[in-house]
Amino acid sequence: MTLTSRLPATPEPDELFDAFATWASDQGLSLYPAQEEALMEIVSGANVILNTPTGSGKSLVAAGAHFTALAQGTRSFYTAPIKALVSEKFFALCEMFGAENVGMMTGDSSVNGSAPIICCTAEILANIALRDGAEADVGQVVMDEFHFYAEPDRGWAWQIPLLELPKVQFVLMSATLGDVTRFKDDLTRRTGRDTAVVTSAERPVPLFYSFGMTPLTEALDELLSTNQAPIYVVHFTQAAALERAQALMSINVCTKEEKEKIAALIGNFRFSSGFGKTLSRLVRHGIGVHHAGMLPKYRRLVERLAQAGLMKIVCGTDTLGVGINVPIRTVVFTSLSKYDGVKTRILKAREFHQIAGRAGRAGYDTLGTVLVQAPEHVIDNEKSLTKIGDDPKKRRKFVRKKPPEGMVSWGLPTFERLVAAEPEPLTSSFHVSHSMLLNVIGRPGDAFTAMRKLLTDNHEDRPAQRRHILRAIAIYRALLAAGVVEKLDEPDDQGRSVRLTVDLQFDFALNQPLSPFALAAIELLDRESPSYALDVLSVVESTLDDPRQVLSAQQHKARGEAVQAMKAEGIEYDQRMELLEQVTHPKPMAEMLLPAFDTYRRGHPWVGDYQLSPKSVVRDMYERAMTFTEYVSFYALTRSEGLVLRYLADAFRAVRQTVPDDAKTEDLTDLIEWLGELVRQVDSSLLDEWEKLTNPETGELEDRVDDTPPAVTKNTRAFRVLVRNALFHRVQLAARRDYWALGELDGDSGWDAEAWADALNPYFELHSQIGTGPNARGPALLIIEAEAERWLVRQIFEDPAGDHDWGFTAEIDLAASDEAGTAVVYVTAVGEL
């Protein structure tokens, strides 16, 4: 039974509160005093700033707010900082209120967008507020993780709704807000509603803080023996988290019975080579790893095992501060400093409390433990001093170990200060963009008045406001000069004195702002070109966010190859270093795309807010004819394979959504099918969740640990491309005479490096090379005979003479391919055909 069945006949405050409290009681939930106070204020129409610790039930208050809005017939928006949390909340609210009453907007997809309850990212709501202003169809806003207001790049999206939606009831929630007096006064002034600040220093599960002076392994052993698991060991790099997990394999974490339960729960879960095999060993020992660079299916596996009480130790990064779904009794900090992308610094009080607050589970634990491990050099010094004893001479002569070079020093005083400190006050991160002006100009009324109010009545100080005003004027003049907006002699019937001359519904995408450029660029391509499909892909890739780790790895690889080539040519060191600066990651189509983009933005100035970035990740993988695992290994991206997969999934969605059907050739359709199947076979959850969101009528997908994707051979079109790539990869290796790599691929079927070399040497006595261009990859040189249980294939080499009488034959085992999620090839013969 959903919450909607409990809606009272009349939405009076007392009836609303009683109906919701009764429902909560029926679920076995007792409202804490802070929850009761917040809900009473919400049903009475006040704004609420809920500043209570993690685990104090803010999600239940949010549900009560949506319940109130639904009863009062107003539209309620829930915002979260990341898409994963938005979709998680979407499914939870669908269960509470019924799918027909809940919608979602994230930029990737829009589901039931006219529903009375909408889950969205903060940027979506901010753009709605800018576009519709006070007349927006929004009656209530619940902003979760409101401390993101202070984020330098994204904080504007948390501020804009407060400035532009004066008719809305706001519920702002976080565990680490700091002093909120300014927000309380500002909300009351803008909305005319009372604003209640509900705080509680008392956690439902109290925290016990300690500073550890024993080595981490000993500390964890003690925590395990005193029943303090599950333990989350926090690191500030992904590499450190994995290294720590591997180092803990010497601890006996689980009993034999628990290991058997782990193995049973894992079942036939598909672990890929590389990191997957490492994780398999770790989790079977009761140790998990959790960070953003992992494949989603691996993170979900660790979460499920932890929820079942089988992951005693999880080593991860501070991503748990953004709401990871892992039950935690103890949080262990390995450091109180982190590299923030610019410098290494001590944690802020907000960061420390956000992470520490994950310890202790309401309903399960009576106490949460937070252990901060002293730096290793401090522990070593203390050990040495203990050995010395009280001898004053020896203690005077003792030379203390110093912190490692580059380390920001911290110790017990830092720990004590952070434990006692309140989170820092939130600071404004307002900024002006083309999209802001275009949204405001596009709505009814006088845009100048609206922009003046937005620029002078925000949360910035006066000098910053002056800078924003100057930028807004410059942007407006650019829009005017480009003819995107025009001044009117008289206001129109909607009160506009300036109006847009373009249809923003088509030309202006809030969440994929460069998609219209991609459409225009695709029209410039030659459909008859053999590289057309890959060129379309390059256009789309140039509009996607950069996967920095991948591009860095590509550049590193390219520079390594360039150094070897320059050494072979005898180029001197200084000149090599100079030339090396020009070597970067591959940027196909850059010579066409960058000038085209410059031309395009003269007529569409708002795209200047965004950066076109030519790159080749999907194209690079396709041209190298590599599987996902081979690509990750080739660029040494094991720790970032989750990032690689998310990029591939984004590229798949973008090319499928952006490219019009009439621009899709057979080759391009093959490529799209290949990419989708590749992503699905590596980790089906990314595309399955997207399909579930965009096609909710298909129903819930089964939630299971063994998240095996559909059989790869069922998608015949995609599987044919996988087979073609697998065979062409061998052609490329043969062309380079890389017999060792060929042996690695085919040694199990009897074709080791020596066998390949013996078979190909006669070919190279006749011909100087094996072709690897578009024709060599074409369907004319590949013959497939499909049988029920196997495909018989013949891959023909493109030789310089054009005889096409050399190549190799192979069998494709369909059952083994379904098991592996990719084409399983058994070479049967190499030589003259």
Side-chain angles (χ1 to χ4, degrees):
M1 185 177 292
T2 63
L3 250 174
T4 49
S5 64
R6 303 294 186 94
L7 292 172
T10 56
E12 295 298 323
D14 288 346
E15 292 186 34
L16 282 169
F17 181 84
D18 289 343
F20 186 79
T22 301
W23 171 83
S25 178
D26 290 346
Q27 310 305 307
L29 303 171
S30 299
L31 297 177
Y32 301 126
Q35 290 175 313
E36 287 188 340
E37 182 184 351
L39 287 167
M40 286 177 182
E41 295 289 355
I42 288 168
V43 298
S44 66
N47 299 313
V48 171
I49 301 175
L50 185 60
N51 188 11
T52 56
T54 302
S56 59
K58 288 185 283 294
S59 293
L60 191 62
V61 173
H66 299 313
F67 179 78
T68 301
L70 199 60
Q72 294 172 343
T74 61
R75 217 159 169 235
S76 179
F77 277 68
Y78 168 90
T79 74
I82 58 176
K83 294 175 185 177
L85 290 181
V86 172
S87 60
E88 184 180 301
K89 181 61 67 171
F90 168 73
F91 291 120
L93 292 180
C94 282
E95 196 171 318
M96 281 187 181
F97 293 97
E100 69 279 6
N101 290 311
V102 186
M104 187 184 75
M105 303 176 188
T106 64
D108 285 339
S109 57
S110 178
V111 179
N112 198 16
S114 60
I117 301 172
I118 295 292
C119 301
C120 64
T121 54
E123 284 82 358
I124 295 288
L125 178 63
N127 280 308
I128 290 171
L130 287 168
R131 177 165 285 193
D132 298 331
E135 302 308 312
D137 183 17
V138 183
Q140 181 193 78
V141 169
V142 179
M143 303 188 86
D144 206 355
E145 308 288 354
F146 186 71
H147 56 275
F148 271 77
Y149 170 96
E151 286 289 304
D153 295 330
R154 302 181 60 205
W156 67 273
W158 275 259
Q159 183 172 164
I160 289 295
L162 309 184
L163 307 179
E164 291 292 290
L165 300 175
K167 300 177 182 179
V168 163
Q169 178 189 34
F170 286 95
V171 180
L172 312 180
M173 308 191 306
S174 174
T176 54
L177 289 179
D179 182 10
V180 295
T181 305
R182 176 164 59 91
F183 293 104
K184 177 180 184 296
D185 297 341
D186 188 67
L187 277 177
T188 297
R189 174 177 70 85
R190 292 178 188 277
T191 65
R193 300 171 184 263
D194 289 337
T195 301
V197 177
V198 179
T199 60
S200 173
E202 289 188 23
R203 288 172 44 98
V205 179
L207 291 183
F208 171 72
Y209 293 91
S210 63
F211 190 72
M213 291 297 293
T214 57
L216 181 58
T217 302
E218 294 177 27
L220 292 175
D221 220 352
E222 183 178 345
L223 289 169
L224 289 168
S225 65
T226 55
N227 197 30
Q228 298 302 306
I231 304 164
Y232 199 104
V233 188
V234 183
H235 304 77
F236 293 100
T237 68
Q238 296 172 3
L242 179 57
E243 287 168 12
R244 182 75 64 185
Q246 292 175 306
L248 294 175
M249 286 288 284
S250 59
I251 298 179
N252 190 17
V253 175
C254 290
T255 64
K256 181 181 178 182
E257 291 74 22
E258 286 170 333
K259 289 179 180 178
E260 289 173 353
K261 288 180 181 178
I262 291 171
L265 193 55
I266 289 174
N268 295 322
F269 186 91
R270 182 190 288 170
F271 290 97
S272 62
S273 58
F275 175 75
K277 299 302 182 188
T278 301
L279 182 66
S280 177
R281 289 194 301 273
L282 290 169
V283 295
R284 293 175 194 279
H285 195 72
I287 299 171
V289 180
H290 198 288
H291 60 69
M294 292 168 58
L295 296 179
K297 68 177 182 181
Y298 291 154
R299 291 202 306 274
R300 191 172 58 255
L301 173 66
V302 171
E303 290 166 10
R304 290 290 302 278
L305 290 169
Q307 288 159 2
L310 298 171
M311 275 302 91
K312 299 300 181 70
I313 297 176
V314 179
C315 297
T317 56
D318 55 338
T319 51
L320 84 164
V322 192
I324 115 177
N325 188 23
V326 172
I328 301 163
R329 180 168 293 172
T330 301
V331 169
V332 176
F333 285 82
T334 58
S335 176
L336 290 180
S337 65
K338 66 180 286 188
Y339 180 71
D340 63 6
V342 178
K343 62 179 180 179
T344 302
R345 58 167 174 80
I346 299 297
L347 295 182
K348 296 176 181 177
R350 170 168 293 105
E351 294 167 327
F352 176 76
H353 288 292
Q354 193 71 30
I355 299 168
R358 296 290 165 187
R361 302 163 294 171
Y364 294 90
D365 301 325
T366 56
L367 184 72
T369 300
V370 179
L371 170 65
V372 175
Q373 277 295 109
E376 287 186 15
H377 70 280
V378 173
I379 295 174
D380 289 343
N381 287 336
E382 191 63 27
K383 270 188 173 181
S384 298
L385 286 169
T386 302
K387 288 180 181 178
I388 289 172
D390 296 330
D391 188 327
K393 289 184 179 179
K394 289 183 178 179
R395 293 180 78 90
R396 278 197 302 271
K397 290 180 180 179
F398 175 67
V399 179
R400 292 177 178 272
K401 282 188 176 180
K402 294 182 179 179
E405 189 174 347
M407 175 184 172
V408 175
S409 187
W410 57 272
L412 181 61
T414 308
F415 163 74
E416 292 173 339
R417 177 182 63 78
L418 286 172
V419 170
E422 289 292 320
E424 299 82 1
L426 297 174
T427 54
S428 172
S429 299
F430 186 89
H431 72 253
V432 178
S433 65
H434 288 80
S435 61
M436 177 183 285
L437 265 72
L438 287 165
N439 273 315
V440 173
I441 291 170
R443 71 191 188 197
D446 181 19
F448 292 107
T449 302
M451 278 304 301
R452 185 182 302 114
K453 184 176 188 304
L454 185 57
L455 293 169
T456 60
D457 190 22
N458 51 48
H459 298 164
E460 300 278 279
D461 59 27
R462 190 59 189 153
Q465 287 179 349
R466 281 195 288 268
R467 290 194 298 272
H468 296 318
I469 290 168
L470 292 174
R471 173 160 170 75
I473 291 170
I475 291 173
Y476 171 71
R477 286 174 176 167
L479 293 172
L480 202 62
V484 177
V485 301
E486 63 179 4
K487 289 187 68 174
L488 303 177
D489 296 331
E490 296 290 335
D492 65 12
D493 57 355
Q494 292 189 307
R496 297 187 182 97
S497 56
V498 59
R499 71 180 177 191
L500 301 171
T501 62
V502 294
D503 179 9
L504 290 187
Q505 294 303 316
F506 176 75
D507 280 339
F508 180 68
L510 292 177
N511 311 301
Q512 293 177 311
L514 296 182
S515 293
F517 166 74
L519 284 173
I522 288 169
E523 292 178 3
L524 302 175
L525 301 177
D526 177 10
R527 288 176 64 107
E528 302 305 315
S529 168
S531 65
Y532 172 77
L534 290 172
D535 292 344
V536 169
L537 183 62
S538 290
V539 170
V540 173
E541 283 202 73
S542 72
T543 68
L544 301 178
D545 291 339
D546 285 350
R548 287 195 305 257
Q549 291 94 321
V550 182
L551 302 188
S552 176
Q554 286 180 331
Q555 177 173 283
H556 179 75
K557 173 76 76 172
R559 289 185 171 179
E561 292 171 353
V563 165
Q564 294 304 316
M566 286 187 279
K567 283 182 177 178
E569 293 176 24
I571 297 175
E572 294 297 324
Y573 175 82
D574 289 342
Q575 189 181 358
R576 288 204 307 266
M577 293 302 100
E578 187 178 330
L579 292 171
L580 213 54
E581 289 300 311
Q582 302 169 23
V583 178
T584 182
H585 60 83
K587 298 179 180 180
M589 309 289 292
E591 295 82 358
M592 183 207 102
L593 288 171
L594 294 176
F597 185 65
D598 285 339
T599 302
Y600 182 83
R601 65 181 173 190
R602 287 180 203 138
H604 308 77
W606 60 85
V607 302
D609 290 339
Y610 308 94
Q611 191 67 40
L612 191 76
S613 177
K615 53 187 165 291
S616 179
V617 178
V618 182
R619 181 171 184 159
D620 186 39
M621 183 181 292
Y622 185 83
E623 289 183 325
R624 292 183 184 278
M626 287 182 171
T627 64
F628 179 84
T629 302
E630 288 167 345
Y631 194 77
V632 166
S633 175
F634 181 73
Y635 283 115
L637 290 165
T638 301
R639 288 202 302 269
S640 301
E641 60 183 3
L643 171 81
V644 179
L645 186 69
R646 281 194 297 276
Y647 178 87
L648 297 180
D650 287 345
F652 171 66
R653 287 194 288 260
V655 73
R656 216 168 86 167
Q657 291 174 329
T658 302
V659 182
D661 287 341
D662 60 6
K664 292 177 181 174
T665 61
E666 287 295 307
D667 284 348
L668 181 55
T669 303
D670 281 350
L671 193 150
I672 294 170
E673 286 294 317
W674 160 78
L675 179 56
E677 194 61 32
L678 182 145
V679 172
R680 186 171 282 109
Q681 291 300 323
V682 173
D683 188 338
S684 62
S685 64
L686 284 176
L687 295 188
D688 284 347
E689 181 174 278
W690 185 56
E691 294 291 351
K692 186 166 57 171
L693 293 173
T694 52
N695 299 292
E697 67 276 3
T698 58
E700 291 288 321
L701 293 167
E702 184 184 355
D703 185 19
R704 61 193 191 280
V705 168
D706 184 12
D707 213 359
T708 307
V712 69
T713 58
K714 283 189 176 181
N715 187 340
T716 305
R717 187 166 199 157
F719 186 63
R720 185 176 288 269
V721 179
L722 288 172
V723 170
R724 193 167 69 207
N725 283 354
L727 299 179
F728 190 69
H729 186 40
R730 288 163 170 81
V731 173
Q732 291 175 318
L733 295 174
R736 295 200 298 267
R737 308 189 196 196
D738 190 345
Y739 303 127
W740 181 87
L742 285 165
E744 285 288 294
L745 285 174
D746 299 314
D748 290 344
S749 55
W751 286 88
D752 59 15
E754 186 177 353
W756 269 101
D758 289 345
L760 288 176
N761 283 336
Y763 173 90
F764 286 113
E765 290 174 2
L766 294 171
H767 305 290
S768 60
Q769 61 183 21
I770 297 175
T772 57
N775 292 333
R777 192 173 196 149
L781 299 185
L782 174 62
I783 300 170
I784 297 178
E785 296 177 21
E787 297 184 358
E789 296 181 358
R790 61 177 184 168
W791 287 4
L792 303 177
V793 296
R794 182 181 301 166
Q795 176 66 61
I796 302 167
F797 294 154
E798 185 186 36
D799 58 86
D803 294 333
H804 297 160
D805 56 353
W806 275 77
F808 61 91
T809 58
E811 292 182 2
I812 311 300
D813 187 324
L814 302 187
S817 297
D818 286 336
E819 180 72 23
T822 191
V824 174
V825 179
Y826 296 112
V827 173
T828 56
V830 181
E832 285 190 89
L833 301 173

